[in-house]
Amino acid sequence: MLPDFLLTETTVREAGTGPEVPLGEQQGGTLVLTLGITRIIEQESIDLSIWGSTDGSDWGNQAPVRFPAEILLRHPTR
């Protein structure tokens, strides 16, 4: 089965919020997400959280899934 992409490739240069993505039939099931980072600026960091809402309007006050900030280090290509 080929993966479904929730978002198109995006360049992010500042903090922000991504779009709401309806899960449809996948709601309540297991969801596997992959974040691909193709380019970085040395010593930058990323803080990622995934929010959920059952009604599309009440998102609560704490993300159910949160990944701690990670420092991104540039590795030389070989």
Side-chain angles (χ1 to χ4, degrees):
M1 182 165 112
L2 294 175
D4 291 325
F5 292 95
L6 298 177
L7 304 170
T8 59
E9 186 173 325
T10 305
T11 300
V12 178
R13 292 191 171 99
E14 59 189 35
T17 303
E20 178 182 326
V21 178
L23 298 179
E25 295 177 7
Q26 299 298 324
Q27 186 173 350
T30 301
L31 183 66
V32 177
L33 300 173
T34 302
L35 172 66
I37 300 173
T38 57
R39 293 184 185 155
I40 63 170
I41 297 173
E42 194 169 346
Q43 298 299 320
E44 288 293 318
S45 66
I46 184 170
D47 188 13
L48 178 67
S49 60
I50 299 172
W51 292 75
S53 172
T54 57
D55 62 6
S57 61
D58 180 12
W59 295 88
N61 58 7
Q62 186 174 9
V65 179
R66 184 174 192 90
F67 299 93
E70 293 288 333
I71 298 293
L72 303 174
L73 301 174
R74 177 168 288 159
H75 296 283
T77 57
R78 295 178 191 173

